[in-house]
Amino acid sequence: MVLLDKNGIRCDGRKIDEPRKIMIKAGVLKNANGSAYIEFGDNKIMCGVYGPRDVHPKHMANSSTGILRCRYHMVPYSVSERKNPAPSRREIEISKVIKEALEPAVMLERFPRTAVDVFIEVLQADGGSRCAALDAASVALADAGIPMRDMVSACAAGKVADTVVLDVNNEEDQAGQADMPIGYMPNLEKVTLLQLDGIMSPKEYKECIETGIKGCKIVYEIQKKALNERYFGDDHK
Ligand code: ADP
C-alpha cells in the first residue's frame, strides 16, 4: 500500500495536514445527564456522563474534592475480528489516560464527596479512537452542565513515509512509523494528553506536537458548534 504518493496525497485521499471528516452531536441520550456522539472518520463513538452524584462504594469518596471515573470500552463488533467484551489491558490504559486528560479541565473541587462518571462505548474503531473518545467525553461533560475550565480537544499527529501528518488513520497507524495522540485545552493552551508510539527525531517530535495542536484547534470549533446546536438550535450552525 502507498501511504503517501508523490503528490503528497495519503492512502485515504487526504493531504498531510487534513483531518478526517468530524461530526459531533451533543445531548443524544435521554437517560444520561450529558452525552455526545462523535464520528471521526470511520470511528463511531457514544459517550454518556452521570454526575456529580454520590460515590459508590463510599470509601472511594474524597471529602475535599469530587472524583472523575472513566470507562473506555469497545463493543464486540467495533473491529473486524469480534472483540472480547471483557476489558482488555488496552482499554484499561485508555480509560486511565482519558480520565487524566479530562481532570485538569473539570472543576471537581466544587463537588466534594461526589463522582462524575464518563462511559465511552466505541461502536466502530478506525485508528485514533482515544482522541475521538476524549473529544466526545469533553462535549458530554459540558452537556451535563459540569463546570469546566476549558474544553479538551484531541487529535493525533504521526509520522508516515518519513513525513509528519495530521490525524493518523488505522492503515497509517498499522503501517506508519509513529502515532502521537494529543489532548489540548485550546483557551488555556495546555496539553493534557501526550503519548507517542514510534520513533522520531527531536525535529519531527516538535513538528508533530505543533501539527497535532493545529488538529485539536480544528476539533475545538466542531465541539463548540455541537454545543451551540444543542442549546441554541440551527441559528448557530
Ligand atoms: P487508538 O484507537 O487510540 O489509535 P490504538 O493505537 O491502540 O488506539 O489502536 C489503533 C486501532 O487499532 C484502533 O482504533 C482499532 O481500529 C484497532 N484495534 C484496537 N484494538 C483492536 C482489537 N482488539 N482488534 C482489532 N483491531 C483493534
Side-chain angles (χ1 to χ4, degrees):
M1 184 181 34
V2 180
L3 288 175
L4 191 65
D5 74 13
K6 55 183 187 329
N7 300 316
I9 300 297
R10 294 155 70 180
C11 59
D12 57 7
R14 284 182 291 151
K15 301 188 199 112
I16 57 171
D17 59 351
E18 189 181 338
R20 288 172 285 184
K21 194 162 171 283
I22 306 163
M23 185 282 289
I24 306 177
K25 196 160 166 47
V28 284
L29 302 173
K30 178 166 77 83
N31 296 329
N33 297 130
S35 58
Y37 171 70
I38 186 166
E39 289 185 5
F40 200 124
D42 283 337
N43 290 289
K44 296 186 178 185
I45 300 172
M46 185 67 89
C47 178
V49 166
Y50 290 92
R53 61 178 180 175
D54 285 350
V55 184
H56 295 289
K58 273 211 156 38
H59 68 83
M60 284 182 74
N62 184 331
S63 56
S64 53
T65 184
I67 59 168
L68 187 68
R69 296 184 293 198
C70 193
R71 187 185 78 162
Y72 164 102
H73 181 250
M74 292 172 108
V75 301
Y77 51 81
S78 60
V79 288
S80 46
E81 287 272 314
R82 174 188 177 272
K83 190 211 149 270
N84 183 334
S88 62
R89 288 170 66 102
R90 176 180 167 276
E91 286 165 301
I92 294 166
E93 178 237 332
I94 295 180
S95 300
K96 177 178 184 289
V97 297
I98 291 179
K99 168 181 133 70
E100 290 174 357
L102 289 169
E103 267 170 347
V106 183
M107 295 177 164
L108 289 165
E109 68 283 0
R110 292 204 187 173
F111 307 99
R113 295 175 209 279
T114 69
V116 173
D117 288 307
V118 177
F119 296 106
I120 295 159
E121 290 296 326
V122 178
L123 309 176
Q124 184 169 284
D126 189 42
S129 68
R130 78 193 63 203
C131 289
L134 184 49
D135 294 327
S138 191
V139 172
L141 284 164
D143 181 49
I146 293 169
M148 292 165 78
R149 293 180 182 84
D150 201 349
M151 290 296 284
V152 180
S153 308
C155 190
K159 184 171 141 186
V160 170
D162 293 319
T163 309
V164 170
V165 300
L166 180 62
D167 182 25
V168 175
N169 69 24
N170 199 29
E171 285 78 47
E172 292 173 331
D173 191 19
Q174 305 301 325
Q177 295 152 306
D179 176 29
M180 181 191 278
I182 296 179
Y184 182 69
M185 293 193 287
N187 296 291
L188 298 173
E189 300 183 353
K190 285 201 160 43
V191 170
T192 67
L193 167 76
L194 181 66
Q195 295 185 286
L196 173 60
D197 180 11
I199 297 170
M200 51 179 67
S201 68
K203 185 172 164 285
E204 287 164 342
Y205 184 85
K206 190 165 173 285
E207 195 184 333
C208 218
I209 292 181
E210 283 163 4
T211 304
I213 288 176
K214 274 188 205 149
C216 295
K217 289 180 179 168
I218 296 172
V219 170
Y220 178 53
E221 294 306 317
I222 299 165
Q223 290 174 309
K224 280 197 294 187
K225 182 169 158 275
L227 287 163
N228 279 332
E229 278 172 16
R230 161 92 164 118
Y231 290 103
F232 305 109
D234 290 347
D235 298 351
H236 286 74
K237 266 190 179 164

